[in-house]
Amino acid sequence: MSPAEYSKRYGKNSGSVSKLLKAGRVRGARKTGNTWEIPEDALIEYAVRKKKNRNLGDIIWDIVEALSHFQYFDAEVLMVSQAQLENAIEVAVSQGFIEESSMPNNGITSCGYKLTTVGVEACEHKKLAFLKQFAEIMGSYSGAAARAFIEES
């Protein structure tokens, strides 16, 4: 599909879509000559906020935020190791924020997970409340995922 079709289909400003394309944030989009071709249902990559000393809560928040905006994420996009991403996903699933999607991760239209009702509510509470809730959960959580993340960080 063309950028104009993509803009119309997803209710995005055409200028925003152009910027996303130029930044390489539309999964699977290719430019041939002066023409962009965007795959059907292509996701926009999540734009992680660069922060020093990101912790498990920050990574889980980024995952929840990306899913709430139907944006793509992976370890590279979130700027974490694959092990950190897997640990964060394990904790987010175990705490009920996300669950596996019926669509497997294909790198373009799905990252393989979707928000649960708990995850949607967490997004509505915004980041500070989410991190407070997460800290309370982690205070009693002794799972291997949290230990592995802490050891790797």
Side-chain angles (χ1 to χ4, degrees):
M1 80 174 37
S2 71
E5 292 167 325
Y6 190 86
S7 297
K8 184 176 180 179
R9 182 175 193 174
Y10 294 104
K12 302 264 183 209
N13 177 299
S14 61
S16 296
V17 171
S18 292
K19 288 178 186 176
L20 291 166
L21 287 165
K22 288 176 185 173
R25 290 192 43 220
V26 180
R27 301 296 290 188
R30 302 206 189 293
K31 189 172 184 179
T32 306
N34 290 331
T35 305
W36 283 99
E37 278 300 316
I38 305 170
E40 291 286 324
D41 301 322
L43 294 177
I44 296 169
E45 287 182 0
Y46 178 71
V48 67
R49 292 166 308 286
K50 295 176 185 171
K51 176 185 169 188
K52 291 182 182 179
N53 304 321
R54 292 179 68 220
N55 60 34
L56 182 60
D58 293 323
I59 296 168
I60 292 174
W61 172 255
D62 286 334
I63 291 168
V64 168
E65 267 291 286
L67 291 172
S68 74
H69 295 290
F70 304 101
Q71 294 179 333
Y72 181 83
F73 69 88
D74 60 18
E76 182 180 349
V77 169
L78 296 180
M79 297 185 291
V80 298
S81 70
Q82 186 63 35
Q84 288 173 314
L85 177 63
E86 290 169 6
N87 291 334
I89 287 172
E90 183 180 325
V91 173
V93 168
S94 72
Q95 297 305 317
F97 293 115
I98 66 173
E99 62 188 9
E100 286 190 32
S101 169
S102 60
M103 290 183 58
N105 181 351
N106 65 9
I108 296 175
T109 63
S110 175
C111 52
Y113 293 91
K114 64 181 182 178
L115 281 181
T116 63
T117 304
V118 173
V120 171
E121 290 171 2
C123 287
E124 291 172 356
H125 291 357
K126 299 297 178 190
K127 188 172 184 179
L128 290 177
F130 170 81
L131 291 176
K132 182 179 177 186
Q133 176 186 0
F134 181 73
E136 290 170 5
I137 290 169
M138 291 305 291
S140 62
Y141 184 75
S142 59
R147 286 194 303 276
F149 182 85
I150 290 166
E151 289 169 7
E152 187 175 315
S153 296

